[in-house]
Amino acid sequence: MTKLLVTLVCLFIAPAAAYDFSWSPGSGSAPASDAWLSYFNNLDGGKADVQADIKECSQSVPNIWAATFDDGPMDSTNVVLDYFRTAEMKTTFWVIGLNVIQSPDILNKAFKEGHQIGIHSWSHPDLTTLSEAQVVSELVYGAKAIYDVTGKVPKFFRPPYGTMSDSVRTIAAKMGLRAVIWTEDSEDWRYAGTSEMSKVPASFQSWMDQGKSNEISLEHDFKAETVAVVGQCMDIVRKAGKKLVTISECIGEGDAYQNPRLLAFFESGQFAGQSPTPSSSQNYDPAASWPQTTYAASESQSETSYMGIR
């Protein structure tokens, strides 16, 4: 009888997925590749459909709210997944490639549960400070990590710190990518490790009291303190009559992963890990390198920074 029970248990336990991240360039920034830049610059004769950054939801569907979470996946991401599973609603995770290769099963879990996955670069640099070749590499390696885990190539990315420029926007468009920023910043990362985490749900309550709707909010799933208030924040939004949705639902897009340009790049054999070195065994904490500066939105500048350092 015991042997039978053991056999049945084994049959119902799915084996852990095996991932090959031998292409990883290591725990630092992504190495620049002039060849990759040339590939995308020459794709379709260098043409690109450069679109404005997405900063809010469509107004065609009322009472929706796109909650988004940056900088995972990490063990703490499971707290967010547990909440949304119980609520039977979906969200969007903007993931860092370095963290994906350390916690691939958590990313796969989020994807299989129907949440949207977007690129948040490989190592979380300010893309506006990099060369075009470096920007390409940061986005390629970030996309590759997601692709190897989910089998999908996103068509949306969130620039670290929310900083964008015409140059980054154009090269990203050549890669089939469009930037998604945010309208409401919880600043949860700022209060982690302090006694002021209550300011995060207070911000959500303030937004609801102001009658805000169809917005994109920013939180982080990389610290125990930030995810501890997620349930309270999301309950505030739901009690205000809002439905929590993914970014694709927010803007009325049917497919978050239809990116033929990046997919063709990976299938062409152009991708090759550049002298990979062993990766760090620890998750990458982008907050460790965040500048203590707050950026203000400015539509009139060609180098545009949006509401924060994320």
Side-chain angles (χ1 to χ4, degrees), residues 128-164:
T128 66
T129 67
L130 306 182
S131 69
E132 287 190 344
Q134 289 173 316
V135 171
V136 168
S137 290
E138 279 287 335
L139 296 176
V140 162
Y141 276 112
K144 175 64 172 172
I146 296 170
Y147 183 39
D148 280 8
V149 174
T150 67
K152 299 290 186 180
V153 182
K155 63 181 181 182
F156 298 110
F157 80 105
R158 171 166 283 170
Y161 312 108
T163 57
M164 279 293 287

Side-chain angles (χ1 to χ4, degrees), residues 65-147:
W65 191 276
T68 65
F69 297 88
D70 284 18
D71 300 341
M74 291 191 181
D75 288 343
S76 48
T77 304
N78 285 308
V79 176
V80 183
L81 292 175
D82 290 345
Y83 176 87
F84 278 87
R85 188 184 312 112
T86 301
E88 297 184 340
M89 292 185 180
K90 307 301 179 187
T91 190
T92 301
F93 294 97
W94 302 101
V95 298
I96 297 172
L98 278 168
N99 287 343
V100 170
I101 66 173
Q102 297 301 330
S103 303
D105 289 330
I106 296 175
L107 178 69
N108 194 35
K109 179 181 178 182
F111 174 72
K112 287 187 173 180
E113 291 187 2
H115 301 292
Q116 185 173 336
I117 309 300
I119 302 166
H120 198 38
S121 81
W122 172 253
S123 65
H124 206 273
D126 181 342
L127 298 180
T128 66
T129 67
L130 306 182
S131 69
E132 287 190 344
Q134 289 173 316
V135 171
V136 168
S137 290
E138 279 287 335
L139 296 176
V140 162
Y141 276 112
K144 175 64 172 172
I146 296 170
Y147 183 39

